[in-house]
Amino acid sequence: MSVVDQPLILGENLSLEPFPQQHPDASSSTILIVGGGVTGLINAWVLLDRGYHVTVVSKEWASFTDQQRLTSQIAGALWEFPPAVCGQHTDILSLKKSKHWCMVAYDIWAAIASNASLAALAGVQMRASNFFFPCPIEDLPAQHHKMKEIANSGVHGFSRSAESIHKHGIDPRYGAVDAYEHLAPVIDTDRSKNKNSSAALQPTSILNCTGLSALSLAGDKTCYPLRGALIRVVNDGTDFPKVESSLAITADAAQDNEIVFIVPRNDNILLIGGVAQPGRWDLDLTLESPEIKRMRTRAEAFLPSLKHARLDPEYPIAQGLRPAREKNIRVERELRTRTVDLHGEPTEEASRLIHDYGHGGSGWSLSFGCAADVANLVEDVLHNLPASRMKGPEKAAVEDTRLATVSEQSGPIRARL
């Protein structure tokens, strides 16, 4: 948690141009980011636009071959209001924080989608996102509450109507009787490009965006994999009517907790899912694996036109390990005091290590919101403020003495009351 509260504002401290909003100079601080997935690269984007030198290191980068790709790269990348379809992040702290984070990201992805040239370059579009239920939504209290929150959140195009069941060709025998929809960003992750980082200097702060590797790097035993998989089929209108909208049945509304997750990409590829298997580290699923065959069977029962779908010849099945964490997503500074400096000399100062991991399947949805909080935590480091544990909005008050310290050290930077 940071005492700095500088919001992320497009055009002020976040640029969609191919160069930083604020160029660093020789005196600018340097940030080292460990991790090259969506979380690490979006953080790099935000920090570059605030005038920092940024270096990103990673053991793996996005690739465009038929070999295993990064989880961030093969993700469905459909923006979702929490909790996501696969159902993780249901603890109070994560839900409260994520509802803010996701709306920050929503506005920025929507801004990119509204610019035709940027949307084409980044592969971002606003598409109708539909959610279906086997009973009136009022009979599912958690989903009813979520629907009302979405309707009041500021998302575009919200409407509730069972007519969408017939509109999208959903088989009524599957049991869908109620539905709502809204516009949501969909990101073609194989086309998305983030800004390159600059050359490294001695880092002022280190940002841990390593996802599952935080299990060893940060010694966080609460991290675990949530294995996922998607079937990729050709969606060019030749074999079945082209699917233009996202279609989903959430985990708590699905039979046996097996979800339906259908997402069109902008390159005539349709993603069919999904699978959410906690604790599974192996990436050995094939089209003949029982869970994959069940996944396709229920998608075809839900949307019968998919029985005629052709597999993507280049990459028919995508699988990856979502970086999940027990309890909440971690966006906070390391709480331990640093006892040696970068040269190995004894010292006594607050840690300069910042964590941003544990997003599960919501990395794209929460990306910019988490990065905004991280940028504020970096400001805490630069002003030598003590670290504090991540807290929910209802516990965000801080002591008057600490607020006075921020005011004295950081001038006009606003503290959160």
Side-chain angles (χ1 to χ4, degrees), residues 91-119:
D91 67 283
I92 294 174
L93 179 54
S94 270
L95 282 177
K96 284 184 176 293
K97 302 287 285 188
S98 296
K99 288 170 186 177
H100 167 70
W101 289 332
C102 78
M103 292 311 302
V104 173
Y106 184 94
D107 290 340
I108 293 170
W109 292 125
I112 295 173
S114 68
N115 182 306
S117 60
L118 285 174

Side-chain angles (χ1 to χ4, degrees), residues 199-378:
L201 302 172
Q202 179 172 299
T204 305
S205 185
I206 299 174
L207 177 53
N208 169 28
C209 299
T210 56
L212 279 175
S213 292
L215 181 64
S216 55
L217 184 66
D220 189 341
K221 305 303 182 184
T222 70
C223 296
Y224 67 93
L226 189 65
R227 185 169 72 168
L230 298 166
I231 298 171
R232 295 165 56 96
V233 300
V234 178
N235 186 34
D236 60 4
T238 301
D239 304 296
F240 57 91
K242 187 171 183 177
V243 177
E244 301 280 5
S245 303
S246 300
L247 313 169
I249 293 182
T250 61
D252 60 347
Q255 298 177 356
D256 299 322
N257 210 40
E258 292 196 328
I259 63 178
V260 173
F261 184 72
I262 299 171
V263 181
R265 307 303 284 269
N266 303 328
D267 53 0
N268 288 333
I269 293 296
L270 185 69
L271 305 181
I272 299 174
V275 169
Q277 298 176 315
R280 295 294 298 271
W281 286 94
D282 46 316
L283 291 173
D284 57 358
L285 294 171
T286 71
L287 292 170
E288 297 304 313
S289 298
E291 53 266 74
I292 301 302
K293 295 175 74 173
R294 289 198 307 272
M295 183 172 73
R296 184 163 188 175
T297 296
R298 66 177 177 268
E300 292 173 353
F302 176 72
L303 190 64
S305 61
L306 294 181
K307 294 177 181 179
H308 308 291
R310 286 178 293 126
L311 293 171
D312 174 14
E314 296 182 2
Y315 206 72
I317 181 172
Q319 58 184 308
L321 304 179
R322 305 179 184 96
R325 185 174 186 256
E326 294 174 12
K327 296 184 178 179
N328 53 271
I329 301 164
R330 190 180 188 189
V331 179
E332 67 179 358
R333 285 172 63 194
E334 178 63 42
L335 299 175
R336 292 174 292 183
T337 301
R338 194 167 72 167
T339 56
V340 294
D341 64 17
L342 295 175
H343 303 288
E345 298 296 326
T347 185
E348 184 70 25
E349 61 180 38
S351 173
R352 297 183 179 186
L353 175 61
I354 298 171
H355 300 286
D356 185 4
Y357 64 85
H359 301 80
S362 300
W364 289 93
S365 296
L366 307 179
S367 54
F368 287 104
C370 290
D373 278 11
V374 165
N376 290 335
L377 289 170
V378 169

